[in-house]
Structures are given as C-alpha cells and as structure tokens.
Amino acid sequence: MPDVQSLRPRRVFKLSRVGVTRVRKPIQIERSGVKVTLSAEIDVGVDLPATQKGSHLSRNIEVIESIVDQSVRTPQKSLEALCIKVASTLLERHDYATYAQILIEADYFIERSISGFGKSLEPYRIKAGVCHPRNGKPTKMIGVEVIGMTVCPCAMEEVRSILTKKHPDCKELLEKIPVPSHNQRNIAMMELTSPFSAPEVDADDLIDILEQALSAPTHGLLKRKEEGELVYKAFTNPRFVEDVAREALDLLLVRFPNLPDDVEVLVRSKAEESIHKYEAFAERVATVGELRE
Amino acid sequence: MPDVQSLRPRRVFKLSRVGVTRVRKPIQIERSGVKVTLSAEIDVGVDLPATQKGSHLSRNIEVIESIVDQSVRTPQKSLEALCIKVASTLLERHDYATYAQILIEADYFIERSISGFGKSLEPYRIKAGVCHPRNGKPTKMIGVEVIGMTVCPCAMEEVRSILTKKHPDCKELLEKIPVPSHNQRNIAMMELTSPFSAPEVDADDLIDILEQALSAPTHGLLKRKEEGELVYKAFTNPRFVEDVAREALDLLLVRFPNLPDDVEVLVRSKAEESIHKYEAFAERVATVGELRE
Amino acid sequence: MPDVQSLRPRRVFKLSRVGVTRVRKPIQIERSGVKVTLSAEIDVGVDLPATQKGSHLSRNIEVIESIVDQSVRTPQKSLEALCIKVASTLLERHDYATYAQILIEADYFIERSISGFGKSLEPYRIKAGVCHPRNGKPTKMIGVEVIGMTVCPCAMEEVRSILTKKHPDCKELLEKIPVPSHNQRNIAMMELTSPFSAPEVDADDLIDILEQALSAPTHGLLKRKEEGELVYKAFTNPRFVEDVAREALDLLLVRFPNLPDDVEVLVRSKAEESIHKYEAFAERVATVGELRE
Amino acid sequence: MPDVQSLRPRRVFKLSRVGVTRVRKPIQIERSGVKVTLSAEIDVGVDLPATQKGSHLSRNIEVIESIVDQSVRTPQKSLEALCIKVASTLLERHDYATYAQILIEADYFIERSISGFGKSLEPYRIKAGVCHPRNGKPTKMIGVEVIGMTVCPCAMEEVRSILTKKHPDCKELLEKIPVPSHNQRNIAMMELTSPFSAPEVDADDLIDILEQALSAPTHGLLKRKEEGELVYKAFTNPRFVEDVAREALDLLLVRFPNLPDDVEVLVRSKAEESIHKYEAFAERVATVGELRE
C-alpha cells in the first residue's frame, strides 16, 4: 500500500509550515525544587518541500507525546529546555524539513503577597517557543501577558479643570491631589526572541516589569483599606497605553543590562477602555540594539 | 430507500430539543421606513418524540432560508414578527413536534448624539426569540446587552478618607467633590419573556434603561472636554453592580407601567473589574408581578 | 467611615445572585494517591436581600483563597468536597444570604491507551458545582464535555444508493460494507444535578459513557493503521446527534442502576457539521425517574 | 491647560503603532448597484515619534466616524476605496506620524445556488486593509476565510485495505469506488498584499478559489439527495490540508495571470480534525514571483 504522504504532489509548491495546532496537554516544569503544572496549548510545525505531498502529522504528535507527556512523570527544568528538545526531535523525525517550530501557551500562576496581608495566587499567561533551522542556529521566544490597571492622565487634567472652575478657592489643593479619571483593565504583554544560546530570561522577571510599567498591578483579594490604597496609588501614577509600552522597554533595559543587541522585543499595552466600547493600544517592535540607540 | 430519520430509534427516549445552532444570516428589518441590516446568528429547534429516530434538520434550514433570506428582499417589520413566522412554520414542517423555538442574536447599532457634538453609531447586542407550543400560547423574548461604565462607591469613600488624612484642613471640600475610585467596563443586559400577545417592548427602550442605570454610558467619540465631562458625570454617580441591576428594574417599572404581571425579567450587570483580573456580577430573575410587590 | 455595602439601597429589590465570575486558580485534587492539578475558572455567588445595598465581594475571594489556594498545599480529595466546603463557608461569611453557589470548570486530562500502542493524555472539560440553601439541603452538579466523532447514517444511505446505481452488479457487496458519509467533530456533554447526599458519580465514568455514545472517540496519536481502524469502526457505527444523546441516556441508566429518581440529567450532542457551516444539536433535560418511565 | 498628549515623554522610545482596535461599525458598500451592509470590526493606528508622549486617539475615531459612518448614508464603492480614504485622512490628522494603517474584518454573505435547487446566502469572512507610509507608496490587503470540507486521502487507502482484506473477491470494485475516510470542517484563508496601484482583486474571486481548492464547499441547505451528491463528490476528491493550500496557489496563478510579481500571498488551510481533538494546518507565505519560479 502506498505511503500517501510521500507521493509527489500535483502542484509543485513548497509549503512554509505544516503541522498541528491547539494540542492541549498538561506540562510539568520543576524549578528550584517546586513542580509547576501548566494546562498548555501547543502548536508544532515543519516546512515541506515541493516534491512531497504530505507532512507526517502523526510524527508531530508522537514527538509531543514522548516529550511533553513524559514531563508529567519527569518534569523538565524549563519551558525553554522542553521546547528545544521537541524542536530538535521534530527535525530528526521529519528528515525532509529544513526547519521545525514549537509554540506553547498556558495559564501561569504566581504567589503574590499584598502589604499587611496574606498570599494569593495571581493568574498570568505565559508563552514559549523555539524555531530550529536544520542548518542554522535555533532561536527561542519567551513571552508573558499581564492584566493590570491604567489611569488616564489626560482625563484627569480635564476633571481637575472642571473641579477648579466649580471650586476656584480650592485651586491650590486641587493642583496637588489626584482627582477622578477613567481607569481600566490593561492587558500588557512582552515577548523576547533571541538566539537559543542567549542567557535565559525568566518569565517572572518579565511579569514584574509589566506590573511596574502599569499605573498599578491588580490583585485577587483586596480588603476595603487595601483597595483604597491601590486605587490611590494608581491615580498618583496615571499612564497612557503609550507610557506603559515605553516604561516596560526602559525597565527591561535597566534590569537586563547584558541582554544581547540582537534580542528582538515586542511590547504591547492594550486598554479595555472604560469610557469607550473598543480598545486602545500601543506597541513597539525593535531589537535591543535599536532600543539602546 | 428508507427515510432514515423516520425509523424507530433503538433507545426510546424523547428529546427536549433537536435543531441547528449558529446559523449566520443577514436579516433586514424595516422600521418607520428605515432599513436595518443585522448580521445575525440564529438557533432553531423542535422537540422529538421517542418513537422517531431523527428530526429533519434540513427543514429547519428551509424555513430559515425562506423567511430570513427573504427578509433581505422584503424586510420584516420587527424581529418579533420574523420569529413568530419562523416558529409557526417550523411547527407546520415538523408535524411530530409539540413545540418549536427560535433565538436570534446580532450586533445592533443606534445613532447617538453627544451634547454639542456630531452623531455617532454606537454598537449594542440584541436578542430576540419565540417559543411556540403546538397546543398553547407562544411566548416571546427580547433582550439587549449594553457596554457602559461603573464607578465604585466603596473605593471612593476609602480614597476620600486617605485624602482627608493627608489634607485635614480641606475636609470640607473633600466631602463635596468626587474623588478617585476604580471604574470599569460594565456589561449590562436585560431580557423580557412574555406571552406573544403582550404589547411589544422596543429594544431601543431597554438600551436606554440600561444606559441610565449605569454610572455613565460610553461613547465612541469623545473630544477632551467631553471626555472630562463624561468622567465627571460618572464619578458623581458611583454605582455597584448591585445598583445597576436594581436601577434598571426600577426604570423598567416606571417606563412601562402597563407591562403585564406575568412578564419575566432577567437583568444582569457584570463589571470587568479594573482592580481585579476577574468579573463581579449581580442579577435578578423575577416576574414583573414579583417586582411590583 | 460608613460600610457602604451595608447601607440601605434606594431601590428595594432583592437580587437573585451577586458574586464574582471567571476567577482563575489552580486546584489540586488527590485521588487514589495521584495528584491532579486543574487550571480552573471559578464562579461564586450568594443572594442579597432588598434591605442591603451591596454584597461583600471580597469575602467571596477570601473564601476561594483560603480553600482553593490551600488545595495547592493540601489537595482536596474531590471537586465535590471542595465545592461543599466553599459553599458552606460562603454562607457563614455572608450572614444575610439565604443561599450560596459555586461552579468550577477546567481542562481535565485522562491517560488513554490505544490498542497495540502507547498511552496518551486526552483532554476533556470537567465541571462541578454546589448550590447551598441556608435552610435546605444542598445540591451538587458534576458535568463533563467530550470531543468525539459522529458519522451521518442518512448520508451513508444516499451514497450507497449513488454507488449502487453506478455499479448495479455489486449491489450485494454495497449493502454489506460501510460507504462514504459525512463525519465530524461532535461535542458531547452530560451534567448530573443531585442532592448532595446522593452517591458520588465519577467524572471519568461520564466521560466513558459519552465516548461510547459517539460513533467513535478521538485520539491524539494515531498511526496510519490505527487511523484506518478507527475510521472503519466509526463508519460501521453511524449516528445522528439524536442517537448520541439517547445512547448516552441509556448507558447512564445501565451503568448506574441505583441512581436516585430525583437526579436531574442534561445531555447534549452538538455536531460541528462538515457539510454545513453551522452546528446541529440534540438535547434532553429530565430526571432519572422520568427517563426510567 | 496643557495638551497632555503633546508633552515630552520620560522614556524617549518611539512607538511602532498606537491606535484603537475592535471598533464595531456597520459599513455600506455599493457594488454594481447592490448595497451590501457589513457589521465590521475596525483597527486603525499610526506610529508615534520618541518626542511625543501620546497619540491623539480621538482623532482616529473622528476619522472613522466621518468616513465609515458616512458610508451608511453614501455607500463606498469598495472596502479598498474606504480603506485608502481612512488611511490618508489619518496621515493628515496625525501630522507627526510617518505611517498610518487600517484593518477591517466582517462577516460577508454571497448568494449561492445549488444544482436543481433554490438560492441561499452563504456566510464568509472578509478582511481588507491599507498601510500608508507618508513618504512612500501605500499597500493594500484583501483577504477571505471560507469554511469547507476536506476528506483524508490517507485514511481512505487504509480503509480500502481493511475492506479488501474482508472482501478479497471484490478487490476490483473496491479499487474503483470511494470508501470511508475521515472528513471535517476546513477553514481555508487567503490574503493578498499588493502595492495600492495594483489591479483590484475581488474578494468573491478569492472565495471561489478557496471553495474549489477544498474537497468540497459546504452549503446551508441540502436536501437528502443533494447531501448524498455533495458527500460523494467530496469523497472522490480527497485532500490533505497541504493539497488545499497548494491547489489554492495554483488556482490563483491561473485565474490572475497578470498579478504583479511583488504581490505577497498568504494561504492557510486548517482542518478541525474529526478523528483528533486538535487542528491540522498547512500554510505558505510567498510573493507571486516566487510562486511562479
């Protein structure tokens, strides 16, 4: 019986990427002795030469099964380590491919403590991936998504002006205190793409950077007093989506002074506007070298 | 060749509902001479007796095609009129069914003007449906979903207290003015289910009610001054999700004093919290009679 | 400073349910010595009397934190045990509430082996909840969602007729073998709602029932030969959405002969039709007593 | 009062793109005398120099309002015409920007007739966009998404082999007829990005190409006989995701022999596998020139 996938196709176009997407699997990572279980969605793919009709998709799943399912029994020490293992095994199994790729995305929880209060597990999104050319150096990607809060600096000045007109004798005070403004959920994300040999950047550090870049992070549990303090803090720190993106870039360069110039950075801040029904966003795509200029 | 659907099934259970869901169709409604095109998702279904293996699903589509597609050529005068026509035709075509049901959901746009400014088309969601028992009276449902803004009354008092401690000599002013609080997108929705013979309630009225029940509605286009005024208005009108739900119920009873007691109301307010990563919600399910008690 | 939530509201309507929704948390369950980590979404809520302005939403989160986050350190023995603990603690913390409710939903993985092949972790969705009236008996819900495959029996007969016309001399063979028909993803789900005191039904059993009710289950990893066998099996077992719903009800009654008559069953089969752009569905809502009639 | 957006930012990074996303608006296009209303989602953005704190987001909405809302009164003759008008007006209104961008996405319906049967409105997705550099030539993008059906050629051979083993005397017939295989929904999409001056490619032509590239298109309404014929047709035309992508590329080159070499093509075929819980996909990114090599 013929191996249908290996037949010569009628149309002689090569394909950039053939694979499987949205494969759901639990992944176990063990870091500093602590096991973390991620409920992940995985995409993998390879390219396909013009001379071959089909990619053997079941091989992708075999590779995922053998490495990812195994992680439930023998945890990997990082997503990065798991991704490179999958990508290089994909190249072995698809001998016609010139490159292989894997992308993993999952919910991710970090224990955060709030001043004078107990600890809580806060949810984030984490992404990791590897692109592995057969005759070249692999690159890796690490990314995070953080939900936080932004307060609009522009509307605050408008409201200050309204209040000052109504209470002209209190002008002095009104110039000193934070006044009402619209604030909203902000979905901030950052992705770093680097040569695989570059030093590992921890997802937790990127989450820290984004939380600092916002007007304020958000918390699952806030009693009345803490809620007031968090809101006060956010309103003394009003930020546009543009500010969040720029602040995050600045914090990245400060925290990682040794990051190689060829690391590519994508940062995006998206505000689910409370005064509009649509979203506002700001983004930058650049190499670390360009950012340092 | 046998009509497979009409065979006797192995398992003799009747089924509550068999049909098709997420059928996408454009629908045209003509109201007061103005044509409105909705890009709708439609669900229809009928029950199935234990003695019959399958429902003839293509008949559902025939009915939808003949009535809904026709609306593109000859607009219906309301979603309600279209729904009852579909439901009663479903009963004709499925002679074994004891009831038929249709539910339509679509984006819906209304032209809104903002004080001292041009007009803009604001987006909403609209829902309509009919349940038609063969030996009983049909009921109809009309529902809307509105995106607006809520300002938290509780956090405002906490911030007022923080500001008063910092500026004790300005206590008097700080008690009079709106101060910072978290505010966010609120998804408010209301659904009315009534005997089909009850007077028609216009979706636009329900949208008005929900927009008034919020701290403030939101607008697509706001220049700086209007943005300040909208924020100021919202902060002088802080509301919990609970307040939005109750206010909407009150406005409904006031605007429609003749609404029959047996109309069922579902109202829900959901805040996409700016200080948390999850949503807060409040809802009430009751008949108009119960609400009037 | 006033406790804003405890103020008397302007509108004196009670609310059916006030709470938080889409709270993401990892949950650990330990069954037969095996720890399972679920990346869950949690909804909790209580009712609110007409005399009180707001529900104390932070108490909901305190309860979730203390019980759910704790599960990461000391795993619960079932979702059911975790839900009743949350619901009864919610009643303690909201002393004005007459009932409390929790609903949990998560990805869930089970190790499945395929004949003559290795093991693989297959993904499912699991749901669990408890409704706890203060002056009454709590009820519990357990539900699962399974992705499988259905083959249309009706289209198979049509194709058989086409083939027989083209090859009249092979009529006999064509009556014996499975011939082409459209087949597709089927999302089957079942939910059982029972008094809390009813015997525990395991989610794994419900998943088994739904997989048997389909034309065939699906698998992550299938080599060519197994893929052929799975397809052959599915085509010798063609089923409508109606058949899946009925078969699942029958299997439930057979596997759990002692299920009390007052257990409520919801079963739904939804086919993401390969020949249409919309979905077909069949569902039944009934008590076990009604199903046994 | 200061124009907050025009202040000098603390961080002197330029931003690649600042704008608004998911703006929902109805759009009217008039082609050959027929008005089409699209319920669209719109993204627009411009870049922002390092010297400026904020982009004036309300100007984006003013531009959308004035051109898109106007289309409801005076329909545009194509999405392309609408997009270039928005993009060039964005450049006028944001005088600091070096480029402007718009992307529109919407449901789109085409009347299709089925042999010997009535007409039906089939749903598709349509995308259009323009990128407009201030000192350079604008580019345009047109894209479509089509839901159709693929039948797996590989599983068909496996099932043929199973059937032949069971019925060795019918080997001859079994080699001639289509036998069972898994088939599923396939989401096929194609996007063309070209200099704005390139000849306009109609979305309807791209939809035709993708429907021909699949094993078979799908239809809303199929009576039993037509359903059989459609399934028979699809099974005589089995295709991998790879085949769909390549066939679409071939059909594109054949139908548009004059398409300039610098047009960029993205084609993707994604199968929502009926025998797996995940998706398979194949894609190609290339210029028309590369495809012609």
Side-chain angles (χ1 to χ4, degrees):
Chain A
M1 215 181 59
D3 176 1
V4 182
Q5 277 88 347
S6 300
L7 295 178
R8 204 176 167 79
R10 253 177 69 212
R11 316 284 159 190
V12 288
F13 299 112
K14 70 172 183 175
L15 292 172
S16 313
R17 220 158 46 114
V18 180
V20 293
T21 177
R22 299 219 308 141
V23 179
R24 281 182 291 145
K25 289 281 172 193
I27 293 179
Q28 283 215 353
I29 301 295
E30 182 158 4
R31 297 196 312 180
S32 330
V34 181
K35 276 187 202 169
V36 177
T37 303
L38 302 170
S39 182
E41 281 201 356
I42 305 170
D43 298 1
V44 303
V46 298
D47 62 339
L48 187 70
T51 50
Q52 187 166 329
K53 181 177 168 68
S55 186
H56 296 81
L57 295 179
S58 69
R59 294 183 191 170
N60 296 334
I61 300 297
E62 274 183 292
V63 173
I64 292 176
E65 296 278 340
S66 72
I67 296 169
V68 174
D69 284 8
Q70 197 192 59
S71 84
V72 177
R73 285 167 283 267
T74 316
Q76 293 287 325
K77 69 174 213 293
S78 71
L79 280 180
E80 190 175 312
L82 188 145
C83 285
I84 191 72
K85 212 165 160 185
V86 169
S88 50
T89 314
L90 285 172
L91 282 179
E92 281 169 30
R93 302 300 316 276
H94 297 280
D95 55 8
Y96 44 80
T98 72
Y99 98 112
Q101 190 181 347
I102 174 167
L103 182 66
I104 295 177
E105 198 172 333
D107 280 346
Y108 177 62
F109 298 91
I110 303 181
E111 200 166 51
R112 293 284 193 206
S113 60
I114 312 163
S115 60
F117 213 80
K119 292 173 173 176
S120 119
L121 284 162
E122 291 293 320
Y124 304 93
R125 291 291 286 175
I126 190 171
K127 288 182 207 176
V130 160
C131 277
H132 199 331
R134 189 178 296 278
N135 300 311
K137 296 192 170 163
T139 55
K140 64 186 175 189
M141 188 275 287
I142 179 80
V144 298
E145 196 181 278
V146 168
I147 300 178
M149 185 180 175
T150 44
V151 176
C152 178
C154 176
M156 191 183 285
E157 294 319 307
E158 292 295 336
V159 172
R160 198 186 306 281
S161 153
I162 292 171
L163 284 172
T164 308
K165 266 183 212 146
K166 282 186 199 288
H167 307 280
D169 46 325
C170 305
K171 194 163 180 290
E172 208 181 333
L173 173 73
L174 287 168
E175 267 165 15
K176 279 189 299 198
I177 63 171
V179 297
S181 181
H182 64 90
N183 66 83
Q184 51 265 319
R185 259 190 209 169
N186 191 294
I187 317 291
M189 62 92 83
M190 186 179 265
E191 285 180 17
L192 302 187
T193 304
S194 2
F196 191 78
S197 57
E200 194 162 335
V201 172
D202 201 286
D204 293 24
D205 286 321
L206 298 184
I207 289 172
D208 277 353
I209 285 171
L210 291 178
E211 290 202 330
Q212 284 182 51
L214 293 154
S215 287
T218 54
H219 283 287
L221 178 55
L222 295 170
K223 296 305 287 181
R224 288 174 60 192
K225 200 161 152 296
E226 295 145 359
E227 188 175 321
E229 282 160 12
L230 186 76
V231 171
Y232 182 81
K233 185 194 156 191
F235 274 76
T236 55
N237 192 23
R239 292 198 176 165
F240 287 137
V241 283
E242 293 95 328
D243 295 322
V244 175
R246 282 164 165 160
E247 185 77 29
L249 292 173
D250 191 69
L251 290 167
L252 179 75
L253 297 188
V254 167
R255 186 179 294 218
F256 295 105
N258 300 321
L259 214 54
D261 269 358
D262 58 356
V263 172
E264 285 164 22
V265 183
L266 162 61
V267 65
R268 184 182 297 133
S269 166
K270 189 176 73 172
E272 299 182 351
E273 297 285 288
S274 63
I275 54 161
H276 300 300
K277 298 178 181 74
Y278 50 79
E279 275 80 80
F281 72 96
E283 73 183 26
R284 178 73 195 272
V285 184
T287 64
V288 165
E290 286 165 345
L291 295 176
R292 284 187 180 132
E293 270 166 23
Chain B
M1 218 185 55
D3 177 1
V4 182
Q5 277 89 347
S6 301
L7 295 178
R8 203 175 170 80
R10 249 178 73 212
R11 315 287 157 186
V12 289
F13 299 112
K14 70 172 182 177
L15 291 173
S16 313
R17 220 158 47 114
V18 180
V20 293
T21 176
R22 300 220 306 142
V23 180
R24 281 182 291 146
K25 288 281 173 196
I27 293 179
Q28 283 215 353
I29 302 293
E30 184 158 4
R31 296 196 312 180
S32 330
V34 180
K35 274 188 203 170
V36 177
T37 303
L38 302 170
S39 182
E41 282 203 354
I42 304 171
D43 298 0
V44 303
V46 298
D47 61 341
L48 187 69
T51 49
Q52 187 165 330
K53 181 176 168 70
S55 185
H56 296 80
L57 294 180
S58 68
R59 294 184 189 170
N60 296 335
I61 299 297
E62 274 183 292
V63 173
I64 292 176
E65 296 278 341
S66 71
I67 296 170
V68 175
D69 283 8
Q70 197 193 58
S71 84
V72 177
R73 285 166 282 267
T74 317
Q76 293 286 327
K77 67 173 214 291
S78 71
L79 281 180
E80 189 175 314
L82 189 145
C83 285
I84 191 73
K85 213 166 156 184
V86 170
S88 49
T89 315
L90 285 172
L91 282 179
E92 279 169 32
R93 301 300 316 276
H94 296 281
D95 55 9
Y96 44 80
T98 71
Y99 98 111
Q101 189 181 349
I102 174 167
L103 182 66
I104 295 177
E105 199 172 332
D107 279 347
Y108 177 61
F109 298 91
I110 303 181
E111 200 166 50
R112 294 283 193 205
S113 59
I114 313 163
S115 59
F117 213 79
K119 291 172 174 178
S120 119
L121 284 163
E122 291 293 320
Y124 304 92
R125 291 291 285 175
I126 191 171
K127 287 182 207 176
V130 159
C131 277
H132 200 330
R134 189 178 295 278
N135 300 312
K137 296 191 171 165
T139 54
K140 65 186 175 189
M141 189 274 288
I142 180 80
V144 297
E145 197 180 278
V146 168
I147 301 178
M149 185 181 177
T150 45
V151 176
C152 177
C154 176
M156 191 183 285
E157 295 317 308
E158 293 295 334
V159 172
R160 198 186 305 281
S161 153
I162 293 171
L163 285 171
T164 308
K165 266 181 213 147
K166 283 185 199 288
H167 307 281
D169 46 325
C170 304
K171 193 165 182 288
E172 209 181 335
L173 173 72
L174 288 168
E175 268 167 13
K176 279 191 298 200
I177 63 171
V179 297
S181 182
H182 64 89
N183 60 86
Q184 51 264 318
R185 257 191 209 168
N186 191 293
I187 317 292
M189 62 92 84
M190 187 179 263
E191 285 180 18
L192 302 187
T193 304
S194 1
F196 191 78
S197 56
E200 194 161 334
V201 171
D202 201 286
D204 293 22
D205 286 320
L206 298 184
I207 288 171
D208 277 353
I209 285 171
L210 292 177
E211 290 201 331
Q212 283 182 51
L214 293 155
S215 288
T218 53
H219 283 288
L221 178 55
L222 295 169
K223 297 304 287 179
R224 288 174 60 192
K225 202 163 150 293
E226 295 145 359
E227 188 175 321
E229 282 160 11
L230 187 76
V231 171
Y232 182 80
K233 185 194 157 191
F235 274 75
T236 55
N237 193 22
R239 291 198 177 166
F240 288 137
V241 283
E242 292 95 327
D243 295 323
V244 175
R246 282 165 166 160
E247 185 76 29
L249 292 173
D250 191 69
L251 290 167
L252 179 76
L253 297 188
V254 167
R255 186 180 293 217
F256 295 104
N258 299 321
L259 214 54
D261 269 357
D262 58 355
V263 172
E264 285 165 22
V265 183
L266 163 60
V267 64
R268 184 182 298 133
S269 167
K270 189 175 71 171
E272 298 182 353
E273 296 286 287
S274 63
I275 53 161
H276 300 300
K277 297 179 181 75
Y278 50 79
E279 275 81 81
F281 73 96
E283 72 183 26
R284 178 73 193 271
V285 184
T287 64
V288 165
E290 287 165 345
L291 294 177
R292 285 188 181 131
E293 272 165 21
Chain C
M1 216 182 57
D3 177 0
V4 181
Q5 277 88 347
S6 300
L7 295 178
R8 203 174 169 79
R10 249 177 71 213
R11 315 287 158 187
V12 289
F13 298 112
K14 70 172 181 174
L15 292 173
S16 312
R17 220 159 46 114
V18 180
V20 293
T21 176
R22 300 219 307 141
V23 179
R24 281 182 290 147
K25 289 281 171 195
I27 293 179
Q28 283 216 353
I29 302 293
E30 183 157 4
R31 296 196 313 180
S32 330
V34 181
K35 275 187 204 172
V36 178
T37 302
L38 302 170
S39 182
E41 281 201 355
I42 305 170
D43 298 0
V44 303
V46 297
D47 62 339
L48 187 69
T51 49
Q52 186 166 330
K53 181 176 168 70
S55 186
H56 297 80
L57 295 179
S58 69
R59 294 184 190 170
N60 295 335
I61 299 297
E62 274 182 292
V63 172
I64 292 176
E65 296 278 341
S66 72
I67 296 170
V68 174
D69 283 9
Q70 197 193 56
S71 84
V72 177
R73 284 167 282 267
T74 317
Q76 293 287 326
K77 67 174 215 290
S78 71
L79 280 180
E80 188 175 314
L82 189 146
C83 285
I84 191 73
K85 212 165 158 186
V86 169
S88 50
T89 314
L90 285 173
L91 282 179
E92 279 170 31
R93 301 300 316 278
H94 296 281
D95 55 9
Y96 45 79
T98 71
Y99 99 111
Q101 189 181 347
I102 174 167
L103 182 67
I104 295 176
E105 199 172 333
D107 280 347
Y108 177 62
F109 299 90
I110 303 181
E111 200 166 50
R112 294 284 193 206
S113 60
I114 313 162
S115 60
F117 212 80
K119 291 172 173 176
S120 120
L121 283 163
E122 290 294 320
Y124 304 93
R125 290 291 286 175
I126 190 172
K127 286 182 209 177
V130 159
C131 277
H132 200 330
R134 189 179 294 278
N135 300 312
K137 295 190 172 165
T139 54
K140 65 185 174 188
M141 188 275 287
I142 180 80
V144 298
E145 196 180 276
V146 168
I147 300 179
M149 185 181 177
T150 45
V151 176
C152 178
C154 176
M156 191 182 285
E157 294 319 308
E158 293 295 334
V159 172
R160 199 186 304 283
S161 153
I162 292 172
L163 285 171
T164 307
K165 265 181 213 146
K166 284 186 197 288
H167 307 281
D169 47 326
C170 303
K171 193 164 182 288
E172 208 181 333
L173 174 71
L174 287 169
E175 268 165 12
K176 277 190 300 199
I177 63 170
V179 297
S181 182
H182 64 90
N183 61 85
Q184 52 265 317
R185 260 193 207 166
N186 191 294
I187 317 291
M189 62 92 83
M190 187 178 264
E191 285 179 17
L192 301 188
T193 305
S194 1
F196 191 78
S197 57
E200 195 161 333
V201 171
D202 201 285
D204 293 22
D205 286 321
L206 298 184
I207 288 172
D208 277 352
I209 284 172
L210 291 178
E211 290 200 331
Q212 283 182 51
L214 294 155
S215 287
T218 53
H219 283 289
L221 178 55
L222 295 169
K223 297 304 287 179
R224 288 173 59 192
K225 202 162 151 293
E226 295 145 359
E227 188 174 322
E229 282 160 11
L230 186 76
V231 170
Y232 182 81
K233 185 195 155 190
F235 275 76
T236 55
N237 193 23
R239 294 200 175 163
F240 287 137
V241 284
E242 293 95 328
D243 295 323
V244 175
R246 282 164 166 160
E247 186 74 30
L249 292 173
D250 192 67
L251 289 167
L252 178 75
L253 296 187
V254 167
R255 185 180 292 219
F256 295 104
N258 299 321
L259 213 54
D261 269 357
D262 59 355
V263 172
E264 285 165 22
V265 183
L266 162 61
V267 65
R268 184 182 298 133
S269 167
K270 189 176 71 173
E272 298 182 352
E273 297 287 288
S274 63
I275 53 160
H276 300 300
K277 296 177 182 76
Y278 50 79
E279 275 82 80
F281 72 96
E283 73 183 26
R284 177 74 193 272
V285 184
T287 63
V288 165
E290 287 165 346
L291 294 176
R292 285 189 180 129
E293 271 166 22
Chain D
M1 215 182 57
D3 176 1
V4 182
Q5 276 90 345
S6 299
L7 296 178
R8 201 173 171 80
R10 252 177 71 212
R11 317 285 158 188
V12 289
F13 298 113
K14 71 171 183 175
L15 292 172
S16 312
R17 220 159 45 114
V18 180
V20 292
T21 176
R22 300 219 307 140
V23 180
R24 283 182 289 146
K25 289 280 172 196
I27 293 179
Q28 282 216 354
I29 301 294
E30 183 158 2
R31 297 195 314 180
S32 330
V34 180
K35 275 187 203 170
V36 177
T37 303
L38 302 170
S39 181
E41 281 201 354
I42 305 170
D43 297 0
V44 303
V46 297
D47 62 339
L48 187 69
T51 50
Q52 186 166 333
K53 181 176 167 70
S55 186
H56 297 80
L57 296 179
S58 68
R59 294 184 190 169
N60 295 334
I61 299 297
E62 273 182 293
V63 172
I64 292 176
E65 296 277 342
S66 71
I67 296 169
V68 174
D69 284 8
Q70 197 193 56
S71 84
V72 177
R73 285 166 284 266
T74 316
Q76 293 287 326
K77 69 173 212 292
S78 71
L79 280 180
E80 191 176 311
L82 189 144
C83 285
I84 191 71
K85 212 166 159 185
V86 169
S88 50
T89 313
L90 285 173
L91 283 178
E92 280 170 30
R93 301 302 313 276
H94 296 280
D95 54 8
Y96 44 80
T98 72
Y99 98 112
Q101 189 180 345
I102 174 167
L103 182 66
I104 295 177
E105 198 171 334
D107 280 346
Y108 177 62
F109 298 91
I110 303 181
E111 201 165 50
R112 293 283 193 207
S113 60
I114 312 162
S115 60
F117 212 80
K119 291 172 174 176
S120 118
L121 284 163
E122 291 293 320
Y124 304 93
R125 290 291 286 175
I126 191 172
K127 286 182 208 178
V130 160
C131 278
H132 199 331
R134 188 178 296 278
N135 300 311
K137 295 190 171 166
T139 55
K140 65 185 175 189
M141 188 275 287
I142 179 81
V144 298
E145 196 180 277
V146 168
I147 300 178
M149 184 179 174
T150 44
V151 176
C152 178
C154 177
M156 192 182 285
E157 293 319 307
E158 292 294 335
V159 172
R160 199 187 304 282
S161 154
I162 292 171
L163 284 171
T164 307
K165 266 181 213 147
K166 284 185 198 287
H167 307 281
D169 47 324
C170 304
K171 192 163 181 290
E172 209 180 333
L173 174 71
L174 288 168
E175 267 166 14
K176 280 190 300 198
I177 63 170
V179 297
S181 182
H182 64 90
N183 65 84
Q184 50 265 319
R185 259 190 208 168
N186 192 294
I187 317 291
M189 62 91 84
M190 186 179 266
E191 286 179 17
L192 301 188
T193 304
S194 0
F196 191 78
S197 57
E200 194 161 334
V201 171
D202 201 286
D204 294 23
D205 285 321
L206 298 184
I207 288 172
D208 277 352
I209 284 172
L210 291 178
E211 290 201 331
Q212 283 181 51
L214 293 155
S215 288
T218 54
H219 283 288
L221 178 55
L222 295 169
K223 297 304 289 180
R224 287 174 60 193
K225 202 162 150 295
E226 295 146 358
E227 188 175 320
E229 282 160 12
L230 186 76
V231 171
Y232 182 80
K233 185 194 156 191
F235 275 75
T236 56
N237 193 24
R239 293 199 176 166
F240 287 137
V241 284
E242 293 94 329
D243 295 323
V244 175
R246 282 164 166 159
E247 186 75 29
L249 292 173
D250 191 69
L251 290 166
L252 179 75
L253 297 187
V254 168
R255 184 179 293 219
F256 295 103
N258 299 322
L259 214 54
D261 269 357
D262 59 354
V263 172
E264 286 165 21
V265 183
L266 162 61
V267 64
R268 185 182 297 133
S269 166
K270 190 176 71 172
E272 299 182 351
E273 298 286 288
S274 64
I275 54 160
H276 300 301
K277 297 177 181 75
Y278 50 80
E279 275 81 81
F281 73 96
E283 72 183 25
R284 178 73 193 273
V285 184
T287 64
V288 165
E290 287 165 346
L291 295 176
R292 284 190 181 129
E293 271 167 21

